[in-house]
Amino acid sequence: MRMDVLQELRNATLDRIQEFGDKNRLETRIVEDLSIEKEECILQWGERNDVRTKLKIAYVEGAGRGAIATEDLKVGDVALEIPMSIVISEELVHESDMFPILEKIDGISSETMLLLWSMKEKHNSNSKFKTYFNALPEAFNTGLSFEFDAIMVLAGTLLLEEIIEAKKHLNAQYEELVPALCKDHPDIFPPEFYTQEQFLWACELWYSNGMQVMFTDGKLRTCLIPIAGFLNHSLYPHIMHYGKVDSKTNSLKFGVSKPCNMGEQCYLSYGNFSSSHLVTFYGFIPQGDNLYDTIPLEIDNPQGDCPEEFHPVSDSATHMVRGTWLSNNHEIFHYGLPPPLLDHLRSAWSTVPPTKTPTLANLEVEEKVLRDILSTYETLMECIGDTEEDNRRNSSWDVKLAMEYKAIQRRIISSILTSCHSGLKTIENEMCRCAALTSSG
């Protein structure tokens, strides 16, 4: 009986997963006229090195290279298995001639060592990973490579600041480390392999392709996993759990958590990242509504007629506000906005602990709360400006990506403004109703 119950539960769960997968399936359109010779070479190289795969590589419209299922994959099937013998990890640096030099540098991380190792290894004609490096793109086109025009498009967004700070950090890291290594050890660090352009390329490689792997010793290490890098990210991925080494097979297994039909692109989860993070370090914006896209709102002591003794204890607080279309509750006292944000502002404006009852006093507080939020986001909308849609077709890749990100920000802010206006109308109606009841009483 217990077995029957568990089987029924399993079947019901699989039905739910199938239903969810069908509802959120992304259409796969393969671009047939682009050569995949390099990709086929690396798959053949992988097979010679005991890689097991039920995927093929193809160019997908709107996504670049992607991994396509060669057969129907059910929940629990392993789409890809990579032996640890071809995983690029810090052990390779420890075995190299540069490690005795790098280990003497105070504070240098394993990730930085690997970055420097890969800059040289890509030029090594005898490298075990030559086929892998040959299959890598010449440019990763992430936010770290944004030119001036794209940077200017981002004016008024936090992504502008994020990219500028990241670029400054990488430039400082390069100047502090690389020229000295090339000068003191030119035989180990040939200057022609360690230009600033190649340093940026290596950074983008590790940011966009590096994966966190839990080794059998319990340590978490950043690695490059050949072939697995072809798996693209989705908000509704097929593969979610893949970063732990199987001690029995000494391999990484990429099992699917929802069905993937033959000919469909098989997606991976890179993590719970906002579009700003994905643009900066991966160079794309995912399809669909990203739950992690927010517009932060930092609240200082509220302005207006609120007595100073009723201000919150904290001088400021930051609230992450999502698009209000993601909320199921747009009624009065909710408006599709974050409850912590609303409660914070209510406590600032009210002389007594506010309640969610439509009394005249509470409604007056609600009105002030919504007008505060409305004023703040109207200012943000003005700062962001227009996305200039008409010029998008003739723009470079980075300008197009920047405009796409900016359009997401505008959509979120617009939803917040709409919810505030709608909430104010509801409050106005409730206040009229309260006043009518009072006069009739």
Side-chain angles (χ1 to χ4, degrees), residues 111-129:
E111 288 81 4
T112 301
M113 291 186 188
L114 275 165
L115 189 150
L116 295 169
W117 174 87
S118 61
M119 291 174 71
K120 184 178 180 180
E121 192 70 11
K122 68 177 288 193
H123 299 286
N124 180 5
S125 59
N126 297 319
S127 172
K128 174 183 178 179
F129 301 98

Side-chain angles (χ1 to χ4, degrees), residues 24 211 216 218 235 243 277 305 318 341-342 348 362 396 408-409 421:
N24 296 287
M211 297 184 182
T216 53
L235 300 175
H277 183 94
D305 301 327
T318 300
L341 167 64
L342 297 171
N362 285 340
S396 57
I408 292 173
Q409 297 287 283
H421 283 299

Side-chain angles (χ1 to χ4, degrees), residues 322-384:
R322 302 189 305 183
T324 58
W325 66 84
L326 294 170
S327 173
N328 293 323
N329 193 342
H330 291 261
E331 301 298 325
I332 191 169
F333 299 110
H334 299 282
Y335 324 107
L337 295 168
L341 167 64
L342 297 171
D343 289 340
H344 182 101
L345 290 171
R346 285 173 187 136
S347 65
W349 280 111
S350 180
T351 58
V352 296
T355 62
K356 293 182 176 65
T357 53
T359 64
L360 191 58
N362 285 340
L363 293 172
E364 288 174 350
V365 170
E366 290 296 294
E367 183 180 25
K368 292 177 181 178
V369 165
L370 288 183
R371 292 199 182 282
D372 275 348
I373 298 173
L374 190 63
S375 174
T376 300
Y377 280 101
E378 283 177 340
T379 302
L380 286 176
M381 184 67 93
E382 291 176 3
C383 291
I384 286 182

Side-chain angles (χ1 to χ4, degrees), residues 42 65 87-88 118 132-133 135-142 144 200-213 221-233 242 252 254 268-270 273 277-278 280-284:
I42 195 172
R65 299 183 297 185
V87 171
I88 298 175
S118 61
Y132 169 70
F133 282 109
L136 292 173
E138 295 181 5
F140 287 97
N141 290 348
T142 74
L144 299 174
L200 175 59
W201 180 90
C203 288
E204 290 182 298
L205 165 64
W206 281 91
Y207 282 136
S208 62
N209 283 261
M211 297 184 182
Q212 292 286 304
V213 175
R221 298 178 175 91
T222 303
C223 304
L224 291 178
I225 307 173
I227 301 176
F230 291 121
L231 288 157
N232 289 321
H233 171 79
Y242 52 86
L252 287 169
F254 294 75
L268 186 76
S269 171
Y270 292 177
F273 296 131
H277 183 94
L278 293 171
T280 302
F281 299 107
Y282 293 89
F284 72 91

